[in-house]
Amino acid sequence: MKTPMRLLLALLLLAAPAWGQDAPKAAAEPAAVKDYKLGPDSLPQEGAPQGKLEGPFLFKSQILAGTVRKYWVYVPAQYTPSKPAAVLVFQDGQRAINPRGVLRVPTVLDNLIHKKEIPLAIGIFITPGQRGEEYPESLGTKNPDNRSVEYDSLGDSYARFIVEEMLPEVGKRYNLTKDPKGRAIGGASSGAIAAFTVAWERPAEFRNVISLIGSFTNLRGGHVYPELVRKSDPKPIRVFIQDGIHDNRNPANPERDWYLQNQAMVAALKEKGYDMTHVFGEGNHSDNHGGAILPEILRWIWRDYPK
């Protein structure tokens, strides 16, 4: 049976775009994940004295009982015991010191200290804890098994470990400043929320926070930080937040969306008048972007501290 001509014309008109209107455009493609490159301040530079990286040392915590971890200490070539040194504590120390990684914190310290762009600082690079009596050499730069418990949990346990155990441990050998403005603590991902928690719980000990792709998400309740910041009196801490638009996106569950939660942290800190800045790029859940801008972050964090 043949379709009547009038019906056929009507079907064609319904299927075609209306006259004078463009056909619907395809949805815009999301921006590609950007690959951030390290700059000269993250690479060895001629004339910049190289500090020494001591360790790894094993440490068994009494506060984080039943765990063992490694730590390293970076000592600038210019260090003298007569003058207290600033302090930079970095979580996931096994990755932060990796000379082939994207953070390369000791090299950054070499260059910026040499140029007198940051104060002379001793670096303390700490791994998360491994449950048991032994720290397996096979872990390499991978995560020990107590990492999430220590880093993602709210409360003062990890802050107590840093302030009451690690600083005194390193302070046995080196003259570390007790000025909280001269102390900075940082990390990436869960290491970033851990760094923020230390300063949040102990602002009299640490005033500077470096957060790279921070896990302010509901892994162990960290999604409450934006609201906690809003409800609490401002604390005297300075915060740098870095994240990327492709960082572990989960719009259906904002509590588990890294990018949305970092945006929420920035908004809350701004609202409460914190000394805070942020950089949101086109990266994913990687240290790549944070490593590329780490020299600028350290300059900003210590911009007004005596060099």
Side-chain angles (χ1 to χ4, degrees):
M1 181 176 174
K2 293 183 179 179
T3 306
M5 183 59 68
R6 285 184 182 176
L7 178 59
L8 181 59
L9 286 172
L11 291 171
L12 288 172
L13 286 170
L14 286 172
W19 294 110
Q21 295 181 6
D22 294 331
K25 294 180 179 178
E29 289 292 324
V33 175
K34 186 171 180 178
D35 182 26
Y36 293 88
K37 303 296 184 184
L38 296 178
D41 285 327
S42 299
L43 305 172
Q45 295 297 312
E46 186 177 353
Q50 291 188 356
K52 58 181 177 178
L53 189 65
E54 300 180 342
F57 306 103
L58 288 177
F59 187 81
K60 295 183 178 180
S61 171
Q62 299 301 307
I63 294 170
L64 303 173
T67 65
V68 60
R69 70 199 65 236
K70 288 182 176 182
Y71 73 94
W72 294 258
V73 179
Y74 163 86
V75 185
Q78 302 91 335
Y79 170 77
T80 58
S82 61
K83 182 179 179 182
V87 176
L88 173 64
V89 177
F90 230 90
Q91 306 348 286
D92 292 312
Q94 72 279 21
R95 289 197 285 276
I97 65 167
N98 182 0
R100 293 180 296 278
V102 294
L103 292 173
R104 306 188 189 188
V105 185
T107 300
V108 175
L109 293 174
D110 281 342
N111 292 327
L112 300 191
I113 291 170
H114 172 62
K115 294 193 289 186
K116 295 184 170 27
E117 293 180 344
I118 63 170
L120 187 145
I122 282 179
I124 305 172
F125 303 95
I126 313 165
T127 73
Q130 176 74 13
R131 292 188 285 272
E133 294 295 315
E134 304 290 334
Y135 190 98
E137 290 300 320
S138 60
L139 278 176
T141 60
K142 296 192 289 293
N143 294 330
D145 60 13
N146 210 47
R147 181 176 185 262
S148 181
V149 173
E150 295 175 8
Y151 285 7
D152 295 312
S153 300
L154 277 61
D156 70 349
S157 294
Y158 192 74
R160 290 183 55 221
F161 159 70
I162 294 292
V163 171
E164 298 173 24
E165 292 189 321
M166 286 309 307
L167 290 182
E169 176 73 10
V170 178
K172 294 174 185 175
R173 304 192 296 277
Y174 297 104
N175 187 3
L176 307 178
T177 186
K178 292 181 171 54
D179 180 358
K181 293 181 180 178
R183 293 174 174 172
I185 186 163
S189 187
S190 293
I193 189 175
F196 183 83
T197 297
V198 170
W200 181 259
E201 295 287 341
R202 294 291 189 273
E205 304 291 342
F206 282 90
R207 293 283 170 86
N208 303 296
V209 177
I210 299 166
S211 171
L212 312 177
I213 55 171
S215 297
F216 298 101
T217 56
N218 195 9
L219 296 178
R220 294 179 182 270
H223 65 292
V224 304
Y225 259 135
E227 190 61 24
L228 191 57
V229 168
R230 286 191 171 92
K231 289 181 176 179
S232 304
D233 291 336
K235 304 193 180 193
I237 56 178
R238 176 178 288 178
V239 186
F240 191 107
I241 290 180
Q242 173 275 326
D243 199 32
I245 195 170
H246 299 288
D247 186 9
N248 285 350
R249 301 309 309 272
N250 189 359
N253 182 4
E255 293 180 0
R256 294 293 293 264
D257 187 309
W258 267 247
Y259 181 62
L260 292 181
Q261 285 301 116
N262 274 275
Q263 287 185 312
M265 279 296 288
V266 166
L269 291 166
K270 278 184 177 178
E271 183 179 313
K272 297 297 284 190
Y274 276 80
D275 184 0
M276 184 276 306
T277 193
H278 69 283
V279 172
F280 288 152
E282 297 170 23
N284 54 10
H285 198 70
S286 160
D287 298 341
N288 179 282
H289 188 195
I293 64 174
L294 182 61
E296 286 303 321
I297 295 173
L298 291 174
R299 291 186 186 100
W300 183 84
I301 282 287
W302 274 319
R303 63 188 184 273
D304 50 6
Y305 196 77
K307 308 299 189 285

